[in-house]
Amino acid sequence: MFDEVTIRPITRSTYVEQHAVVDVEQAEAALIEHYPRLVRLGYLVLPPSLGRNRRVLTAHALVQRALPRSRGAEVASAAVPGPRDGDDPGYAYVRQRVLRAALDAGLPRGRWQLPRPGQLPPLLPQVWGLRLFPRSGGADELALDQALAALSGPGRAAYVLRALESRTDRDVRRLLKAAGVADPGAALAEADGVRLPAGSRDAALLESVEFDPCSLQARPTDLMRRRQHTRAALAAATAVVVCGTLLSLPTGGWGEDGPAAPPYAQNAAAQQALDPAKLTRVSPTAWKNADRPGFAAWPARGNRTGDTALLRRALAVWARPGSSVQVTTTPGTAAGPAAGPPQLLFAGDVDAATVVLLYDGLRVVRYAESKGGNGGGAALDFARTDAADEDSATALVLGRTDGNVRYLTAPWVGGGTGDASVRDLLKPDDAGQPLHRDGDGVADAVRSPLAAGTATPNDCRSWPAVQLGGRTVTDLGELVPARLTTGSPAPSTGPHDVDSAQSRGAWAHAACHLATVRGQGVRSVNVWQFAAQPLPGGAGSAEWSCTRAETWRGTGSRVLADFRAPSAPATVVARAEGSPACGAREPRVLAGVLWKSHGGTWFALAAGGGDVASVTATGGVHGSAAGPLLAVPAAQGAQARLAARLSGGGTLGPLQ
């Protein structure tokens, strides 16, 4: 029987119960993990006088503004009570910020008085043309809503903290006092007066869809009034444009653009980039003889490659996207027009949309419009793909519908039933499900891991990935799926594909961390199990691993170090952004934790990966050991400074 494990990380930015010190990255991770619960808390505490639509929008805004503006620095506040045993300190910090902002939003404000810190202006945010509100519950939920509406803001907060967060009265007093409530005792007494229908439970009612601002219904606003306002706004805008044009007429000499031609002047290179006849089209067999197969070796595929009108629209929108076009870019990707005629990768109908994929050597661009081109909205997505090769150019996202994603696979991915399959990374022993593709390489829709209810940091029950030949990719919410690998990053060996039971087992413990790097322009993610450490007292062996996400732009990489004791989930003990650790430039890492055995003894554990020759701990813990592993007794809450000596004579500090 293994010992009970309590894990605390040793990092530069730590949390201490008495002083509530939390690093910004930890607070951000807690916000993402507990976002639905934090929004529900804000929605319940906000004053009902705002109306359901305004409460929904304000609750989301409060949570999204709960992080400090400074990124990368520690945040500390003596006013934030320390969490109970087992609570996430990052969640406790963010919850306190949301609670205080929700209470401030209910305070009266003079006509010319500026908003208090954390208090939202009364008109922001807005959703134009729609009213959003949670789904309706039953009679019990209605009775509770009416009872909460009769309470003051502190009274509602006391009731919600006690029922939804399962807090004791002592905890509620501390939280309310830290949020600026003058009389927490009166708030608790007010909450005691709430009476529920017979047989109802506070927590069950508060967790119903009636009070869920993340599961919403939409209805239109007053359409007639909206038309009148739109006409008035158009008339005013026309007057402004006419006046501005008259005032900006040239009076001689250069303008701010110097001797450049006007924006509407003809330019030979720009005109060629807009001509569908000039599009580059690659032979279907070009990839077989390419020196470095990548997106440049993809042939043009799809049932609309000959639709000149469609291609002309796609090129024109790329060069001059209008105000109705939704434009998205991955970090570090320019959204400007092509320098010359781009390459056509795909043009065809995909589900309810018509999609065009173009490539200019540095970026892949996706143009999408409603099927039939009936004048509706359009979307333009940019993704950086410079230096793409056979390993990273295996698939592109054609579209997303109802939480599903549909891929266009590379021409070198075979067409057999065993060449493409879908796997759940959290179930390494399960056989993959075959993924059907048509003659153009368009795959059937696959459940996206980022879809609601599939895989989120706080409820990670599955993480679908697609295996294409020997390579495994997964959707991180961008145009190009991220490649997954395992193994040491040392140049002599290098990471390898997830193609064995051992490599799939490594990803089973790290897959849920992928949600933290969505939308970051990630090119590849590697998991490296760099150490296995025998635990003191014969408690089994713990595993250390390092997860590194690298981007297409070459900067902004993210590194996580995990510690996993027997019969316990993996826990992040260190993290860094922009660090070369666990990569080809620095194939080594050092991390540590405080670990508590079942007998109650605390130990400082540390492990190094790569060419680590010895590890030393100083500060609150003293000890050293030859080799990459260290285990020394320590006091609870001790702060240790770790250092390692490398076999080549250099030194290595901990990941932070």
Side-chain angles (χ1 to χ4, degrees):
M1 182 173 183
F2 297 119
D3 291 352
E4 180 181 355
V5 177
T6 301
I7 300 171
R8 294 187 179 181
I10 301 176
T11 60
R12 182 180 61 183
S13 300
T14 58
Y15 176 90
V16 183
E17 290 184 359
Q18 292 83 352
H19 301 94
V21 179
V22 184
D23 68 43
V24 179
E25 292 289 340
Q26 188 176 5
E28 181 183 12
L31 186 148
I32 295 174
E33 180 178 353
H34 301 286
Y35 184 84
R37 192 170 191 87
L38 290 167
V39 176
R40 187 188 293 263
L41 173 66
Y43 177 81
L44 288 167
V45 176
L46 283 168
S49 60
L50 294 176
R52 300 177 72 191
N53 176 70
R54 172 53 45 193
R55 286 171 69 194
V56 167
L57 299 177
T58 305
H60 282 273
L62 292 178
V63 176
Q64 294 174 19
R65 299 180 184 184
L67 289 179
R69 295 182 179 179
S70 175
R71 186 179 186 88
E74 293 180 348
V75 292
S77 174
V80 178
R84 301 178 305 179
D85 292 341
D87 275 7
D88 180 8
Y91 174 70
Y93 176 82
V94 177
R95 178 187 59 202
Q96 191 66 25
R97 300 259 300 188
V98 173
L99 178 64
R100 187 180 189 95
L103 289 171
D104 286 346
L107 296 177
R109 182 161 58 93
R111 182 176 181 181
W112 305 109
Q113 180 182 352
L114 293 175
R116 298 176 179 85
Q119 188 178 23
L120 296 177
L123 297 180
L124 294 175
Q126 284 286 357
V127 174
W128 294 98
L130 289 176
R131 295 185 61 82
L132 304 176
F133 48 90
R135 299 179 181 276
S136 300
D140 292 350
E141 286 85 352
L142 179 60
L144 178 58
D145 190 33
Q146 294 173 344
L148 292 178
L151 301 181
S152 65
R156 282 192 304 275
Y159 185 88
V160 172
L161 288 172
R162 192 160 55 184
L164 186 64
E165 293 290 308
S166 301
R167 289 282 173 167
T168 64
D169 287 357
R170 180 182 178 185
D171 291 335
V172 172
R173 285 190 180 92
R174 294 168 59 226
L175 292 170
L176 292 179
K177 183 177 180 181
V181 176
D183 191 354
L188 281 168
E190 190 177 2
D192 289 334
V194 175
R195 294 292 179 263
L196 298 177
S200 299
R201 294 190 303 110
D202 308 37
L205 289 179
L206 291 180
E207 292 175 354
S208 70
V209 296
E210 174 79 17
F211 307 108
D212 184 8
C214 291
S215 179
L216 303 171
Q217 297 184 94
R219 294 292 184 272
T221 55
D222 189 332
L223 299 179
M224 293 302 297
R225 180 178 298 177
R226 198 167 73 199
R227 287 184 180 179
Q228 295 172 358
H229 290 175
T230 301
R231 292 192 188 102
L234 287 175
T238 302
V240 171
V241 170
V242 171
C243 294
T245 302
L246 293 174
L247 292 174
S248 63
L249 287 176
T251 59
W254 281 356
E256 62 178 340
D257 292 335
Y264 50 82
Q266 300 292 319
N267 178 276
Q271 290 301 308
Q272 289 181 358
L274 296 174
D275 188 355
K278 300 291 186 180
L279 284 172
T280 302
R281 299 172 186 254
V282 175
S283 166
T285 59
W287 62 272
K288 296 181 179 180
N289 301 317
D291 293 334
R292 190 184 66 181
F295 293 117
W298 279 33
R301 291 174 285 177
N303 62 344
R304 302 283 292 273
T305 55
D307 190 335
T308 303
L310 168 65
L311 299 178
R312 188 181 303 278
R313 287 196 301 273
L315 293 171
V317 171
W318 181 358
R320 305 182 308 276
S323 58
S324 63
V325 179
Q326 298 181 7
V327 180
T328 64
T329 62
T330 57
T333 305
Q343 177 184 342
L344 178 63
L345 303 182
F346 179 87
D349 296 327
V350 180
D351 297 324
T354 299
V355 177
V356 178
L357 291 178
L358 301 166
Y359 175 65
D360 68 352
L362 297 176
R363 301 165 297 174
V364 169
V365 180
R366 178 180 61 188
Y367 168 79
E369 63 180 27
S370 58
K371 187 181 293 186
N374 57 4
L380 195 64
D381 303 315
F382 294 84
R384 185 169 175 173
T385 57
D386 45 319
D389 55 17
E390 185 177 5
D391 293 327
S392 55
T394 53
L396 289 173
V397 172
L398 284 175
R400 293 184 172 83
T401 305
D402 297 330
N404 297 319
V405 61
R406 192 182 294 274
Y407 295 105
L408 175 67
T409 60
W412 51 83
V413 178
T417 56
D419 294 318
S421 59
V422 180
R423 290 183 175 275
D424 186 350
L425 294 180
L426 301 187
K427 300 177 181 178
D429 298 329
D430 288 1
Q433 299 297 320
L435 179 62
H436 173 264
R437 292 164 296 148
D438 64 15
D440 285 328
V442 178
D444 289 348
V446 176
R447 190 67 175 168
S448 171
L450 304 178
T454 302
T456 57
N458 63 322
D459 187 16
C460 189
R461 291 170 292 177
S462 68
W463 193 283
V466 177
Q467 188 165 354
L468 301 172
R471 301 168 187 85
T472 302
V473 299
T474 190
D475 178 32
L476 292 182
E478 298 176 329
L479 192 52
V480 185
R483 182 192 177 202
L484 307 181
T485 59
T486 59
S488 169
S492 58
T493 57
H496 54 81
D497 290 311
V498 185
D499 54 5
S500 65
Q502 182 179 1
S503 59
R504 286 191 288 270
W507 265 110
H509 302 296
C512 294
H513 297 325
L514 289 170
T516 63
V517 294
R518 62 175 299 180
Q520 299 300 313
V522 173
R523 176 175 183 154
S524 62
V525 187
N526 183 62
V527 173
W528 173 31
Q529 291 187 338
F530 63 87
Q533 183 174 27
L535 294 174
S541 179
E543 293 182 353
W544 296 82
S545 63
C546 186
T547 304
R548 178 181 177 84
E550 297 187 343
T551 67
W552 285 96
R553 62 189 182 277
T555 59
S557 61
R558 295 194 178 187
V559 185
L560 301 176
D562 285 349
F563 174 83
R564 189 171 68 88
S567 302
T571 300
V572 177
V573 297
R575 67 182 75 222
E577 186 171 346
S579 169
C582 300
R585 289 179 53 202
E586 189 174 300
R588 57 185 69 91
V589 66
L590 176 65
V593 295
L594 286 179
W595 175 81
K596 181 182 179 182
S597 68
H598 183 69
T601 303
W602 287 89
F603 291 88
L605 306 179
D611 54 346
V612 173
S614 64
V615 180
T616 302
T618 57
V621 178
H622 292 274
S624 62
L629 303 176
L630 172 69
V632 294
Q636 180 180 0
Q639 302 295 311
R641 293 191 296 271
L642 297 177
R645 184 167 296 278
L646 306 178
S647 57
T651 59
L652 177 67
L655 180 68
Q656 58 187 19

